[in-house]
Amino acid sequence: MADDISFDLAFSPSYGEPVTIAQGVQRLTVNNPSPFTFHGTNSYIVGTSSVAVIDPGPEDEAHFRALMAALEGRELTHIFVSHTHRDHSPLAARLKAETGAITVAEGPHRPSRPLHQGETNPFAESADSGFEPDIALADGETIEGDGWALTAVHTPGHTANHSAFALEGALKDSGILFSADHVMAWATTIVAPPDGSMADFMASIEKLLAREDRIFFPGHGGPVTEPRSFLRGLRTHRRMRERAVLERIRGGDRLITDMVKAIYARTDPRLHGAAGLSVLAHLEDLIEKGIVTTDGAPSISGEYRIV
């Protein structure tokens, strides 16, 4: 089954070097490549003499030194965190201690739903559970700096506390949205229960489609240069995945492992565990819609059938 979406894998990380990507915006990429992070996590510096950092990244000494070098001669007033996975938020504590900057995020880490009895969170170790922002920024609320302003656009789905940030103020380069891990040009986003929710993720896509952003700067990889068409493709991709799950169940598959083998046959086997959780996210949504059923609470090892 072909996907109605075209990914862009062209990206030069330029580790350790800030790259100017728009007026008053620099990107600095962490050297933490993996199947989940592509070439690494993108940190962004917004502003000129007085600035904000978006997603300082993981605890990484080289990246911390690169950030401090890039900030030399400038005042860091705010540290924005899109969500609390360990490749995005942990360095905020050290950066705050060094500069006195204020941390800003939607809120602390939490699952999208309560854990079922006996369930363990497979991504618990990936969560920066100790992070607590100084400012919990409500959806649509704006923080203003010296010549810049960033507005929270809550986009739950990848995590419950995921937020994108829209650039506004005097430095506004019409239509910039820092989309973090919700929308990325190089791949689809992992939606893994209980941290993630497919229903929330799809609602967040619709929310971004209702906006007029010109370009997305994501948490990994290069920019999404045609956001609306990419979002439509991403929506179609997820709907096709949902149909594929339903087709596998109608064809006799009952277990997620069997569905993954067929649906993700061309996917890197290292990602099959995450793919299984994505299938679980679709199944949770299908159960909520009354289309699919299982005995007890939906789980990665459950058996599924059409209602």
Side-chain angles (χ1 to χ4, degrees):
M1 181 181 293
D3 295 330
D4 187 22
I5 190 169
S6 178
F7 296 113
D8 184 0
L9 302 182
F11 181 70
S12 176
S14 301
Y15 298 128
E17 297 293 332
V19 178
T20 299
I21 55 174
Q23 180 189 2
V25 180
Q26 293 178 305
R27 181 185 65 220
L28 193 59
T29 303
V30 188
N31 190 0
N32 63 331
S34 78
F36 297 100
T37 61
F38 195 36
H39 289 291
T41 304
N42 293 328
S43 298
Y44 294 97
I45 302 172
V46 179
T48 52
S49 59
S50 179
V51 303
V53 164
I54 299 174
D55 283 348
E59 277 289 357
D60 183 281
E61 181 64 29
H63 188 61
F64 175 74
R65 291 198 304 267
L67 271 174
M68 291 305 297
L71 292 168
E72 188 173 357
R74 299 189 283 183
E75 180 190 15
L76 176 63
T77 60
H78 294 81
I79 302 165
F80 288 77
V81 170
S82 66
H83 65 294
T84 43
H85 279 159
R86 288 194 176 276
D87 57 324
H88 286 262
S89 58
L91 202 59
R94 187 173 176 190
L95 201 58
K96 174 184 175 179
E98 187 73 22
T99 65
I102 297 167
T103 56
V104 183
E106 187 271 354
H109 195 83
R110 63 187 185 279
S112 291
R113 60 157 174 79
L115 270 67
H116 303 307
Q117 185 173 1
E119 182 183 21
T120 58
N121 186 343
F123 279 102
E125 293 185 1
S126 301
D128 181 11
S129 299
F131 175 79
E132 186 90 31
D134 297 319
I135 297 176
L137 203 60
D139 187 38
E141 192 174 356
T142 301
I143 295 285
E144 296 187 11
D146 182 12
W148 56 265
L150 288 165
T151 298
V153 183
H154 288 181
T155 45
H158 178 58
T159 61
N161 68 347
H162 194 284
S163 183
F165 300 106
L167 178 60
E168 299 175 332
L171 284 176
K172 183 175 180 180
D173 185 14
S174 180
I176 288 177
L177 182 80
F178 297 95
S179 58
D181 283 10
H182 185 68
V183 184
M184 301 177 290
W186 73 283
T188 55
T189 301
I190 293 172
V191 181
D195 274 10
S197 162
M198 190 61 69
D200 288 349
F201 183 83
M202 296 300 285
S204 293
I205 287 178
E206 297 298 333
K207 182 176 185 175
L208 294 188
L209 272 168
R211 294 176 53 84
E212 300 292 337
D213 302 300
R214 179 183 61 82
I215 192 168
F216 290 172
F217 291 135
H220 309 276
V224 177
T225 56
E226 297 182 11
R228 292 182 65 79
S229 63
F230 192 85
L231 284 164
R232 287 192 293 268
L234 189 58
R235 179 176 61 186
T236 299
H237 170 89
R238 291 294 185 179
R239 288 174 175 171
M240 289 171 68
R241 281 284 187 259
E242 180 182 276
R243 288 199 297 271
V245 169
L246 286 172
E247 287 171 7
R248 297 310 306 177
I249 298 174
R250 292 189 179 110
D253 285 354
R254 293 291 175 264
L255 301 175
I256 287 176
T257 51
D258 294 330
M259 299 178 207
V260 169
K261 288 176 185 176
I263 297 171
Y264 293 88
R266 293 183 293 174
T267 299
D268 184 338
R270 293 176 296 174
L271 298 177
H272 277 195
L277 290 167
S278 182
V279 170
L280 176 60
H282 278 294
L283 287 166
E284 287 188 344
D285 191 27
L286 288 165
I287 288 170
E288 186 67 25
K289 293 174 181 175
I291 300 171
V292 170
T293 189
T294 187
D295 295 327
S299 71
I300 197 71
S301 58
E303 295 189 14
Y304 297 89
R305 57 191 180 274
I306 301 296
V307 171

